[in-house]
Amino acid sequence: GEVESVSIDTSTVEGAGQRVVSAQVVFSSEKGLKKTIKASHDEPYVLQCASSSSSNGLKAWVKRFRDWRPSMSALQSEVDEYMAAFDAEHEEARQALESRASTVDGDGFTLVVRKGRQTEAAMAAPKVGAEGLKSTKDMMLLDFYRFQKREANRDRIAKLREQFQRDKDRIAKMKQHRKFKPY
């Protein structure tokens, strides 16, 4: 009978990895459908489109393998683009390092910059931008010398001891008045 439309579906069976092809045939009349059903079913009908050039077996696997991987020229162009971007980024970083090395601050001192291989942490450190270096007052350290650190530590410990003594006296006073209930 006359066929109105045909739709072909290809799917893969999970686990088995097999490809299943199914077709839906829509007849223009019931008469064509009945003729097809009455036909002999001893052997299956194998339908192939003349326009389809699909192959089976080893040829199909080789074709799928070649289609899955990019060609050498496409791969080479992708690698070249990546390397060009990589080289440009590193050249920019090198130029920034050179410009920082020649920077002189307000006091006339030249900034010392490490030129060796940089770690990830050093690359992630904040960069000196258009605002320039911080002013010298902002950069002054409070505890620059060792004796300053010792004095600051001694003062901190003295404060803690005074606070502890005040707390002890307050607890003793509360015990005298029977108002001390720690639990």
Side-chain angles (χ1 to χ4, degrees), residues 18-146:
Q18 295 177 341
R19 197 172 76 171
V20 177
V21 180
S22 60
Q24 178 183 8
V25 180
V26 178
F27 291 95
S28 57
S29 65
E30 279 189 48
K31 192 189 288 185
L33 174 64
K34 289 180 182 176
K35 283 183 184 178
T36 306
I37 292 173
K38 287 182 185 176
S40 172
H41 294 290
D42 295 339
E43 293 183 27
Y45 293 109
V46 178
L47 303 175
Q48 279 189 329
C49 296
S51 64
S52 75
S53 61
S54 64
S55 57
N56 296 326
L58 185 61
K59 289 180 183 177
W61 287 352
V62 169
K63 183 180 182 311
R64 202 174 319 139
F65 177 81
R66 287 188 179 140
D67 291 345
W68 183 63
R69 287 172 173 72
S71 66
M72 285 302 288
S73 60
L75 184 62
Q76 186 63 45
S77 66
E78 187 177 335
V79 168
D80 290 342
E81 287 174 17
Y82 177 82
M83 288 308 296
F86 179 82
D87 290 341
E89 182 180 322
H90 277 275
E91 180 63 25
E92 186 178 305
R94 186 187 64 76
Q95 288 175 353
L97 186 67
E98 285 179 2
S99 69
R100 281 196 318 174
S102 63
T103 302
V104 178
D105 65 358
D107 295 334
F109 291 100
T110 303
L111 181 67
V112 178
V113 180
R114 180 174 176 238
K115 292 185 180 180
R117 179 179 152 158
Q118 290 188 351
T119 61
E120 292 287 326
M123 291 180 146
K127 307 284 189 247
V128 176
E131 71 274 356
L133 295 173
K134 292 182 179 179
S135 68
T136 55
K137 288 182 182 178
D138 293 341
M139 292 179 62
M140 288 185 68
L141 298 173
L142 298 175
D143 297 333
F144 182 74
Y145 296 104
R146 185 176 288 181

